[in-house]
Amino acid sequence: MLLETRDLGKSYGTVRALIGVSVSILAGEVHALIGENGAGKSTFINLLAGVVHPSSGSISIGGEVLEPGSVRASEAAGIAVIHQESTAFQHLDALDNLFVGREPRRWGCVLDRPRMRAEGRRLLAGLGETLQEGRPLAELSVAQRQMVAIARALSVRCRLLVLDEPTASLSARECGALFAAIRRLTAAGVAVLYVSHRLEEILALADRVTVLRDGSHVETRAAAGLSKDDLIRSMVGREVQEHGHGAPSAPGAVRLAVRSLSRSPCFHEISFELRAGEIIGLAGLVGAGRSEVAAAVFGADRPDAGSVLVDGRALPPGDVRAAIAAGVALVPEDRQHLGLVLPMTVGENLVLAVLASLARGGVRRMSAEAAVAAEQMKAMAIKADSPAVPVRTLSGGNQQKVAIGKWLAAHPRVLILDEPTRGIDVGARAEIYRLIRSLAAGGLATLVISSDLQEVLGLSHRILVMREGRISGELSRQDATQERILALAMPQEAAVAGVSP
Amino acid sequence: MKLGAYRYWHETVLAALIAALMIGAAVVDPRFVSWKTQIALSSHVWELALLAVPMTAIIITAGIDLSVGSAMALSAVVLGLAYQAGANAWLAAACGIVAGALCGTFNGLAVAWLRVHPLIVTLATLAAFRGVAEGISLGRPISGFPASFTVLGLGTIAGVPIAGVIVALIATAAGLALARTPSGLSLYAIGHNPAASRFSGLPVARLTVALYALSGTCAGLAAAIYVARRNTAKADLGTGLELDVITAVVLGGTSIFGGSGRIIGTVLGVLAIHETREFVGWHWEHEELNAIVVGVLLIAAVLLNRLFTRPTR
Amino acid sequence: MTGAWLRSREAGVAGLILLTVAAVGTINPRFLSVENARDILIAASPGLIVACGATLVIVLGEIDISMGALMGVCAAVLGKLVSAEHAGLPVWLATLIVLSLAAGIGLINGLLVTVARVPSIIATLGMLTILTGVGDLLMAGETIGGFPDSLRAFAIGHVGMLPMPVLVALACLAAFTVLTRETALGRRIYAVGSNAHAARLAGLPALRLKVLAFTLTGLLTGVATLISAPQLEVIEAGFGRQFELFVVTAVVVGGASMSGGAGSIAGSALGVLLLSLVRTALIFLQLGIGATYWERAIQGGFILAAVLADHVSRRRRVQR
Amino acid sequence: AAGAEQAAKELGNVTLIYDGPTDGSPEKAAALIEKWTLKGVDVIAVSPNDPEVLAPAMQAAMAKGVKVITWDADGAASSRSFFVNQATGTQIGEAMVDAMAKDLGTPAGKVAIVTATLTAANQNAWIAAMKAHLASAYPKMELVAIKPCNEDQKVAFQVAQDLMKAYPDLVGIFGISSVAFPGAAEAVKQAGRSGQVLVTGLATPNAMKGYVKDGTVKSVVLWNTRDLGYLTVRVARALADGVLIPGATSFAAGSLGSKPVAGDAILLNNLLVFTKANIDQFDF
Ligand SMILES: Nc1ncnc2c1ncn2[C@@H]1O[C@H](COP(=O)(O)OP(=O)(O)OP(=O)(O)O)[C@@H](O)[C@H]1O
Ligand SMILES: Nc1ncnc2c1ncn2[C@@H]1O[C@H](COP(=O)(O)OP(=O)(O)OP(=O)(O)O)[C@@H](O)[C@H]1O
Ligand SMILES: [Mg+2]
Ligand SMILES: [Mg+2]
């Protein structure tokens, strides 16, 4: 046994994020940690990493008790962590990012650049990457950045490697390299603690699985022989209605027409039509350019060429307000930075997109705003004490519901949802699916961008697939299968190795 | 005990500090707190108060305008030159206000469209506007405005200075606009998260330009009031005023990081600085002490506020 | 590597400097004299020295605007300590006291920002106001004169060809360039400024680094006072006024970002040089008496142009 | 100040209060006048740093029954009852030009002015007089530059340095404020051009003694500030007592003897030129 937590607990004021968790992790195993949003996974990891101080309990590693709440002590004890949020230093280059905080030095203070360089090359080569020195990390792709973060974690001679949703922004190729690296580490006796909402990955990688629910430890058992349904039941504590296909309503008139839209270098010659009552799924690998297309349709980015028509009328390019006025709504992928104003209240966020139309004579009507907010909170089943609490205090799933509800309040004619369920747990996910279907049934034209093939397959009437900035194919719901979507999405020459499932 | 729910701690603390000061002053020298004295001394604060109102809104959007003092000087000089060129004094004042508005619009365009950090834009225009003022006036004062105009700076309505009435009207309007209009709420949203505001369809660029233009317009108005009171338009007026204005706004509880702040706080902040300064000047006859007291007040107010409001994170 | 450097902010500012020098030199060749270069460098040296510290502070995502007033207080204290008609202390002791005072004020700034969590612009604005008052009180409308020769020699003396202030400035620049580029400490400062949260997760001592940066800025302000105040025989009230504005503008023109993480000692130094050039250049252009009244406007326009040009070109490079 | 205190001591029934803006801001000076009007003093003696800006406040003070006089520099005639006149702006400007001409021997060549700020009212009045006097009396002296030092001695120093390099044939620099003058003198001295580039201007003798002795500066123009302070306090007392009334032709000024009154100006008329020969006799 490598690491053992005894009765580990953490409270934030009255919120009990983690309650008396006792888990042991064995050397050389991949130990998966799963649970709904807010179950306490990241909290558990932050305690291991020494980022937060436990309220109760203790951690021992290799038989010795770990000093609580000290990042340095955890590091010294051989715990390396890749955190959920990006921890990159955008202004520094890859080399500095790999070593900052534990730089190899000469004479006590001066950086030992040659050693850093050699070591950095070796680390990245192990992940199939090359070292890009001198370029600030901001200039690298998201995936490259994530690989640097992983390499940083691997640079420590660690006994336990902790990964909190590491694959969220990785494409199949990088996932493959990561899984290979994980297997090499476990073969060498290193333990890996792995957090992910992608249950397929868990089943493919993990030796044992620990389930958390509402901060409590539910169970830990061997992964062999478990099914996805077993995991879900254990996480949620009840059966979850798996999404059956809703009957496709008869599609109406063309609502949104996109004609030869291009914005180099992100996407080229994108054309499609979206009808009233229709749900189109837009699939593709991360970085295929789907979010960019959505942003251009919404007017947040100015395309180089092409046009966007709503109800037959062309939208002025690069004008969000005109797009909104025409009835287009976008729930962006990055809800924390683009979708919500986190410090403002739930109520304020819900009316933000309709502020002007609720006002009379240029003066806000508070009662009308309150009514809209209350209506959306009810319709979306948003769990919050009151509309007056800051959105920041809500759990991820409920934040996402606010981001969607804010646009439903505007009664859009075209709704674009970019990764509507990323980082959302199974229960909340089912609710969001139900909602999207009922809105479509009501005549809303919906475009759903998702990297989750199950989601795309389950929701869409039609599926468009993007590859490297172009639409590589269209599949009807009858023809669509995971394999066919993937075949269209994968770069022609790329290896399929390591893709899950 | 749920102290967190009460939203006006900062204002309460400031009001208490001001009350304590006034009581102390009354004990030391009752003449200071008399209505007559206070009205007479109030003439020193109108420009500061006037500029602090738009500055509050700008800081709420996480911006800043360091050029207000210089814009005021330029407006005053334009006013003076227009008057010298034969314009009626009120028309000249209008010219000055337009000049201020143009200054502000320039700042706003650079901030909103070129997306240069406002601190940098206005740091540059801080020098540029005053430079233009010096250039077009050749450093000379312009005076000799008619009594019908100086009433704007010196006159009273029912014992209340006209300038004060103007400032009160503008502050009230701004306070209501921030609390009760869509644009007002939009400013807070922009201050917290400009990108999400844009994605919500708020007119971010337009509001930003309008806000800086408003700041310039108020600088023009402040210039008119100043010129009317001192009967002189000159390129060096308002030197260093920007720091006073910012001090008053942050003392009033507006967060320098954007997203929070209220006009009522700013009004109290202005009042606190004004009364402190005047009383220190009144009682100790040491100009230098003023600066020290105001600096301590500024830091102390932030520290006091820390005691009452727990940061939620 | 060279290609990347040519596109950098430093290259842009250096280009502007060369352009200005070439243009003014063409119109008035006397501008290109060694003597003139020396004088410009001497005049720029306090700015160069303090910009080293200010760059660290701004890279950390904070700001310090108390330097000018601190300079005034340091000059007044120095004058009172060494001049025969006041304390008449030995120079080494006075120097030590002034430097400790300056570093101490910087330390207080740092503690206010970190421990008391007062936003740095407010903390240092408050400090600026307080120190201005203290400086005026110390001077009380008088002048302080009578610096001993050793102090004067430090400020106006030479080592070989190099004037002392320039030598000190170069030493500071070299030390801080090495500090920021080649030491773990320097890289950590950039890391904290780049992403405070990630820095916490990486276990970097953000608060200590900030206290250090503010303290160093204070200390450097003391050094700058020591090399510049005794250049003159007497110190007047108002010494150092608006110096903070000059330094912050120069650092920003040199490419440091107000949101932290970006900026370099070389860029800041070039920014100081660029801004220092303008006044001298205007004199050498011999534009006549009328143009004098437009000097401030030209200076402001120059800063504006430098900053706007860079932002526009940068936006063209990086989309969105 | 010493002179004023002496007068106050002699009279015995005068309370002297000094007040002034630390940064020389006219707006603050006006505010101070308003404050003292409110506090109710008998006489306010103003040295207006900007006559135009201060005029309304001074007039308001007179309207409230406070006696207002100017000293050191004059204000608008309507804003004060008497001016303790050590010298008018024109006299001062001309005196500086004359001093420079005398020091040069042959009054010819390029000269420059280092002033306080471009907006400083007193300095601008002197500059106007200097320009006129140069043009009429010394046509061979060419004024090539007027540069502000923003009341910063370092800047005055650097500006003077630059002027000497930009105009190698410069023969003289006027430093027309107590900050600009020593700064310019120091620049000439450090450039090793003492005697080649002459510096003159306004400053107290104590600040300039070093430069006068080493020959960088041959003449320093100023009035006797000690006597001026003395006379001002005497005038203030007399005005408060109603002894001094408009129309008087002379004024008994204690140890200074009798001083002539011309219209509303009490003339001290002692513009001084300090040179190596006499500067040691003065200590202020
Ligand atoms: N700093 C904090 N202050 C207050 N509450 C917190 C804080 N951090 C976490 N929480 C609360 O603790 C609980 C557990 O959060 P945690 O981040 O560990 O969940 P998670 O399992 O990682 O969820 P996800 O799948 O969304 O990443 C949640 O209720 C959350 O709101
Ligand atoms: N922050 C970024 N910095 C640099 N390049 C980026 C960044 N975000 C996206 N890109 C690049 O832009 C292109 C399109 O990315 P986009 O995010 O639109 O892809 P996507 O298909 O929407 O993927 P996702 O699943 O992440 O939404 C890709 O080449 C990607 O590498
Ligand atoms: Mg988590
Ligand atoms: Mg995307």
Side-chain angles (χ1 to χ4, degrees):
Chain A
M1 188 166 55
L2 175 67
L3 179 136
E4 187 174 20
T5 68
R6 201 162 293 144
D7 207 23
L8 201 58
K10 174 71 195 173
S11 304
Y12 292 101
T14 54
V15 180
R16 301 180 74 187
L18 209 63
I19 308 158
V21 173
S22 304
V23 175
S24 58
I25 297 172
L26 309 176
E29 75 166 343
V30 176
H31 193 116
L33 184 62
I34 62 173
E36 290 181 280
N37 292 125
K41 305 181 292 295
S42 298
T43 304
F44 183 75
I45 288 171
N46 285 339
L47 288 168
L48 294 191
V51 177
V52 298
H53 216 278
S55 310
S56 67
S58 66
I59 304 166
S60 56
I61 180 161
E64 286 181 33
V65 175
L66 187 67
E67 181 193 334
S70 158
V71 174
R72 297 205 167 264
S74 291
E75 256 182 35
I79 300 176
V81 182
I82 298 172
H83 290 276
Q84 187 171 12
E85 332 84 279
S86 163
T87 53
F89 301 105
Q90 307 273 353
H91 295 89
L92 304 185
D93 73 353
L95 210 51
D96 284 333
N97 263 284
L98 284 175
F99 295 104
V100 73
R102 47 161 180 276
E103 307 83 354
R105 292 176 236 177
R106 278 178 293 194
W107 314 303
C109 59
V110 180
L111 297 176
D112 188 348
R113 291 254 183 219
R115 231 182 88 197
M116 286 167 66
R117 202 166 294 134
E119 194 113 330
R121 286 220 180 90
R122 190 181 58 73
L123 284 167
L124 282 168
L127 291 168
E129 298 279 321
T130 50
L131 175 68
Q132 309 235 26
E133 218 191 320
R135 283 175 67 191
L137 219 62
E139 292 180 14
L140 305 187
S141 78
V142 188
Q144 282 172 318
R145 278 182 249 162
Q146 179 70 358
M147 294 311 260
V148 170
I150 291 170
R152 177 181 162 92
L154 298 180
S155 74
V156 200
R157 208 171 293 284
C158 62
R159 289 193 281 178
L160 171 66
L161 175 65
V162 182
L163 303 130
D164 197 351
E165 303 206 36
T167 53
S169 58
L170 293 189
S171 76
R173 188 182 70 81
E174 286 111 9
C175 284
L178 173 64
F179 296 158
I182 289 177
R183 292 200 177 101
R184 272 201 305 279
L185 283 175
T186 49
V190 175
V192 174
L193 181 66
Y194 193 90
V195 176
S196 178
H197 285 287
R198 297 189 186 175
L199 299 180
E200 296 84 355
E201 273 175 18
I202 304 281
L203 294 174
L205 262 180
D207 299 311
R208 292 198 300 158
V209 181
T210 289
V211 182
L212 294 181
R213 191 195 308 151
D214 296 334
S216 303
H217 183 197
V218 177
E219 58 178 352
T220 298
R221 48 170 155 156
L226 286 181
S227 73
K228 228 175 113 180
D229 286 334
D230 297 334
L231 294 182
I232 293 173
R233 207 173 305 119
S234 175
M235 276 162 64
V236 184
R238 62 189 150 85
E239 295 291 333
V240 170
Q241 199 79 22
E242 263 297 339
H243 30 275
H245 294 260
S249 47
V254 174
R255 272 283 166 76
L256 174 74
V258 176
R259 303 257 159 85
S260 306
L261 206 63
S262 298
R263 185 173 195 270
S264 128
C266 301
F267 55 86
H268 312 274
E269 298 286 328
I270 303 291
S271 300
F272 63 89
E273 288 184 344
L274 176 60
R275 293 169 177 276
E278 190 179 33
I279 303 174
I280 293 188
L282 187 56
L285 301 182
V286 171
R290 297 160 301 164
S291 297
E292 307 277 337
V293 170
V297 170
F298 186 58
D301 284 343
R302 181 184 279 271
D304 302 330
S307 56
V308 177
L309 293 85
V310 176
D311 294 325
R313 232 169 306 159
L315 296 181
D319 187 343
V320 173
R321 289 167 57 74
I324 292 173
V328 184
L330 169 68
V331 178
E333 171 182 26
D334 185 349
R335 70 165 172 265
Q336 305 242 334
H337 290 117
L338 300 177
L340 296 169
V341 182
L342 292 177
M344 290 176 66
T345 67
V346 172
E348 285 168 337
N349 270 281
L350 283 172
V351 297
L352 211 52
V354 290
L355 263 186
S357 57
L358 287 181
R360 183 166 295 159
V363 178
R364 284 165 66 192
R365 285 186 304 148
M366 298 309 197
S367 55
E369 289 184 8
V372 169
E375 180 193 330
Q376 289 305 327
M377 282 184 73
K378 184 151 168 278
M380 301 293 302
I382 295 167
K383 288 193 202 87
D385 288 348
S386 88
V389 301
V391 175
R392 187 178 31 202
T393 62
L394 267 53
S395 82
N398 281 301
Q399 285 183 12
Q400 182 70 14
K401 288 187 206 166
V402 175
I404 298 176
K406 156 181 145 181
W407 281 113
L408 297 188
H411 302 294
R413 301 167 64 73
V414 177
L415 177 63
I416 308 174
L417 297 159
D418 194 353
E419 306 285 1
T421 59
R422 170 173 288 178
I424 299 289
D425 68 50
V426 195
R429 189 182 297 216
E431 279 183 57
I432 289 174
Y433 291 155
R434 195 174 40 71
L435 189 88
I436 294 174
R437 282 206 198 87
S438 75
L439 288 169
L444 184 65
T446 312
L447 180 69
V448 178
I449 299 173
S450 176
S451 301
D452 183 338
L453 294 185
Q454 297 291 344
E455 181 169 300
V456 173
L457 284 168
L459 272 176
S460 326
H461 300 145
R462 229 167 12 120
I463 296 167
L464 298 172
V465 186
M466 277 184 74
R467 171 171 66 215
E468 292 170 348
R470 293 176 192 279
I471 292 190
S472 54
E474 178 182 332
L475 298 166
S476 71
R477 82 176 307 152
Q478 288 80 14
D479 303 341
T481 61
Q482 290 208 15
E483 290 69 30
R484 297 179 75 163
I485 296 176
L486 268 179
L488 286 169
M490 288 303 258
Q492 243 62 352
E493 75 283 7
V496 190
V499 184
S500 57
Chain B
M1 204 167 51
K2 259 195 113 178
L3 289 179
Y6 182 59
R7 289 168 62 229
Y8 292 90
W9 268 117
H10 195 88
E11 281 87 348
T12 312
V13 167
L14 263 182
L17 279 175
I18 296 171
L21 174 74
M22 295 315 274
I23 292 169
V27 171
V28 175
D29 185 349
R31 271 186 310 161
F32 178 75
V33 292
S34 76
W35 180 249
K36 188 172 137 263
T37 308
Q38 286 296 319
I39 287 293
L41 291 177
S42 73
S43 68
H44 302 160
V45 81
W46 301 131
E47 290 96 29
L48 176 64
L50 190 51
L51 294 175
V53 170
M55 187 72 86
T56 306
I58 287 180
I59 295 183
I60 283 174
T61 67
I64 198 147
D65 185 355
L66 293 176
S67 74
V68 283
S70 300
M72 185 174 150
L74 182 52
S75 304
V77 166
V78 168
L79 186 164
L81 289 176
Y83 179 68
Q84 255 187 352
N88 162 300
W90 294 102
L91 181 65
C95 292
I97 293 175
V98 169
L102 288 177
C103 288
T105 309
F106 180 88
N107 286 333
L109 288 176
V111 170
W113 290 22
L114 298 176
R115 306 213 199 134
V116 189
H117 195 291
L119 189 74
I120 300 170
V121 174
T122 58
L123 202 55
T125 52
L126 163 77
F129 293 159
R130 192 174 296 284
V132 174
E134 281 176 353
I136 60 179
S137 70
L138 299 179
R140 285 193 290 255
I142 300 161
S143 57
F145 297 90
S148 64
F149 177 65
T150 52
V151 82
L152 175 63
L154 300 168
T156 55
I157 299 173
V160 182
I162 292 175
V165 175
I166 295 175
V167 170
L169 285 177
I170 289 181
T172 311
L176 288 176
L178 275 176
R180 283 283 180 268
T181 67
S183 301
L185 186 63
S186 302
L187 296 183
Y188 290 94
I190 292 171
H192 280 306
N193 189 337
S197 303
R198 200 166 84 89
F199 271 71
S200 302
L202 305 181
V204 178
R206 222 189 306 154
L207 280 175
T208 307
V209 177
L211 208 51
Y212 284 87
L214 190 72
S215 173
T217 311
C218 282
L221 191 57
I225 292 176
Y226 178 92
V227 170
R229 183 168 81 249
R230 297 286 176 225
N231 199 1
T232 309
K234 196 143 166 268
D236 64 352
L237 63 84
T239 304
L241 190 58
E242 59 281 347
L243 284 191
D244 282 357
V245 175
I246 294 166
T247 306
V249 173
V250 295
L251 183 59
T254 300
S255 160
I256 200 82
F257 301 115
S260 72
R262 280 184 290 263
I263 295 292
I264 176 76
T266 295
V267 169
L268 288 170
V270 169
L271 201 60
I273 288 188
H274 171 66
E275 295 297 354
T276 309
R277 277 202 182 142
E278 295 299 340
F279 181 67
V280 170
W282 184 269
H283 191 64
W284 278 286
E285 295 149 23
H286 263 302
E287 270 283 299
E288 299 90 344
L289 275 182
N290 263 331
I292 299 177
V293 173
V294 170
V296 170
L297 191 68
L298 179 63
I299 295 175
V302 176
L303 289 179
L304 269 182
N305 198 26
R306 286 258 178 288
L307 287 183
F308 292 107
T309 51
R310 278 278 176 76
T312 47
R313 212 181 263 263
Chain C
M1 187 69 201
T2 43
W5 193 81
L6 280 180
R7 276 185 285 113
S8 72
R9 181 73 182 144
E10 287 87 345
V13 181
L16 258 176
I17 292 178
L18 286 180
L19 208 71
T20 312
V21 170
V24 181
T26 314
I27 294 167
N28 187 346
R30 280 193 293 272
F31 186 72
L32 301 177
S33 69
V34 175
E35 203 190 4
N36 193 37
R38 188 203 59 198
D39 287 347
I40 290 176
L41 284 177
I42 294 178
S45 42
L48 291 173
I49 292 168
V50 177
C52 291
T55 306
L56 296 193
V57 170
I58 292 182
V59 163
L60 279 165
E62 305 288 348
I63 192 164
D64 186 348
I65 53 170
S66 66
M67 295 95 85
L70 177 56
M71 216 169 181
V73 169
C74 286
V77 169
L78 179 70
K80 294 227 162 182
L81 288 181
V82 296
S83 73
E85 70 221 61
H86 294 100
L89 291 186
V91 167
W92 66 267
L93 186 56
T95 305
L96 203 67
I97 294 175
V98 167
L99 289 182
S100 340
L101 172 77
I105 297 287
L107 179 67
I108 295 175
N109 280 336
L111 293 178
L112 277 175
V113 171
T114 53
V115 177
R117 296 198 327 277
V118 180
S120 54
I121 189 157
I122 297 179
T124 57
L125 176 63
M127 191 56 90
L128 171 82
T129 325
I130 295 173
L131 291 179
T132 305
V134 171
D136 286 340
L137 271 183
L138 284 174
M139 296 300 296
E142 296 173 37
T143 59
I144 302 176
F147 288 119
D149 288 342
S150 55
L151 210 54
R152 294 273 286 162
F154 186 60
I156 61 179
H158 291 246
V159 176
M161 274 287 289
L162 276 180
M164 275 302 276
V166 179
L167 195 71
V168 174
L170 287 179
C172 284
L173 289 177
F176 276 80
T177 305
V178 171
L179 175 81
T180 52
R181 296 172 62 99
E182 295 301 329
T183 69
L185 185 74
R187 297 327 290 171
R188 291 174 181 192
I189 286 176
Y190 279 79
V192 169
S194 176
N195 185 341
H197 180 67
R200 211 167 65 85
L201 295 183
L204 302 182
L207 297 192
R208 253 181 289 160
L209 289 174
K210 285 183 181 176
V211 173
L212 177 72
F214 278 101
T215 310
L216 279 176
T217 307
L219 179 67
L220 290 173
T221 307
V223 174
T225 314
L226 285 175
I227 60 143
S228 68
Q231 274 175 22
L232 304 166
E233 278 192 344
V234 294
I235 295 169
E236 295 254 353
F239 186 87
R241 190 170 289 160
Q242 303 229 311
F243 181 66
E244 68 283 343
L245 220 56
F246 173 83
V247 171
V248 170
T249 311
V251 170
V252 163
V253 164
S257 152
M258 281 295 152
S259 41
S264 71
I265 297 296
S268 300
L270 289 167
V272 170
L273 284 183
L274 182 68
L275 295 192
S276 306
L277 269 181
V278 184
R279 202 204 52 244
T280 303
L282 282 170
I283 291 179
F284 275 83
L285 286 178
Q286 305 188 343
L287 295 172
I289 291 171
T292 299
Y293 294 94
W294 288 96
E295 266 177 23
R296 202 195 295 266
I298 295 172
Q299 288 174 13
F302 201 76
I303 301 171
L304 203 58
V307 173
L308 290 188
D310 181 65
H311 274 257
V312 171
S313 72
R314 191 171 301 197
R315 228 151 66 86
R316 195 149 299 157
R317 259 176 274 142
V318 188
Q319 289 178 335
R320 242 223 288 216
Chain D
E5 271 153 24
Q6 189 196 331
K9 207 188 293 158
E10 283 178 18
L11 288 164
N13 55 353
V14 176
T15 312
L16 261 182
I17 305 166
Y18 282 98
D19 205 352
T22 50
D23 55 0
S25 142
E27 167 59 23
K28 287 194 189 140
L32 291 178
I33 293 172
E34 286 164 355
K35 179 185 88 184
W36 287 111
T37 308
L38 278 171
K39 289 195 83 167
V41 290
D42 296 319
V43 183
I44 304 180
V46 186
S47 165
N49 45 9
D50 194 321
E52 311 272 2
V53 174
L54 297 193
M58 289 159 70
Q59 282 159 358
M62 297 205 324
K64 294 257 165 60
V66 178
K67 304 271 190 305
V68 179
I69 57 175
T70 50
W71 63 294
D72 194 47
D74 197 7
S78 62
S79 66
R80 44 87 180 146
S81 45
F82 282 95
F83 169 36
V84 182
N85 186 353
Q86 82 286 6
T88 62
T90 313
Q91 286 171 331
I92 295 170
E94 290 180 355
M96 285 192 281
V97 173
D98 289 336
M100 176 67 80
K102 193 178 111 259
D103 294 349
L104 285 172
T106 47
K110 290 180 177 164
V111 294
I113 296 176
V114 182
T115 180
T117 63
L118 290 176
T119 47
N122 295 334
Q123 270 79 4
N124 282 349
W126 302 336
I127 289 175
M130 291 166 80
K131 276 185 183 165
H133 195 53
L134 279 171
S136 62
Y138 307 103
K140 292 226 182 77
M141 274 164 73
E142 184 197 354
L143 180 62
V144 291
I146 301 172
K147 295 284 162 185
C149 71
N150 299 329
E151 280 305 74
D152 184 338
Q153 211 181 135
K154 281 286 291 299
V155 176
F157 171 81
Q158 289 156 10
V159 163
Q161 255 184 350
D162 292 343
L163 283 170
M164 282 186 284
K165 284 174 296 178
Y167 302 92
D169 47 354
L170 197 72
V171 296
I173 299 175
F174 296 98
I176 63 170
S177 82
S178 60
V179 172
F181 193 8
E186 180 68 25
V188 171
K189 182 174 161 187
Q190 283 190 24
R193 299 186 62 184
S194 298
Q196 295 158 26
V197 178
L198 289 173
V199 192
T200 190
L202 287 205
T204 56
N206 282 355
M208 302 310 293
K209 256 172 206 164
Y211 301 110
V212 170
K213 287 190 179 150
D214 66 23
T216 311
V217 172
K218 287 192 182 165
S219 340
V220 178
V221 178
L222 198 69
W223 46 90
N224 191 326
T225 54
R226 180 185 279 267
D227 289 355
L228 180 63
Y230 182 87
L231 180 59
T232 304
V233 172
R234 284 276 177 177
V235 168
R237 183 70 253 173
L239 200 60
D241 295 343
V243 178
L244 179 62
I245 47 167
T249 54
S250 76
F251 175 71
S255 61
L256 288 178
S258 176
K259 288 287 168 185
V261 178
D264 53 8
I266 296 109
L267 302 177
L268 182 63
N269 270 346
N270 66 343
L271 211 52
L272 298 174
V273 177
F274 308 104
T275 61
K276 205 182 266 188
N278 68 0
I279 195 160
D280 277 332
Q281 300 163 18
F282 299 92
D283 179 26
F284 59 91

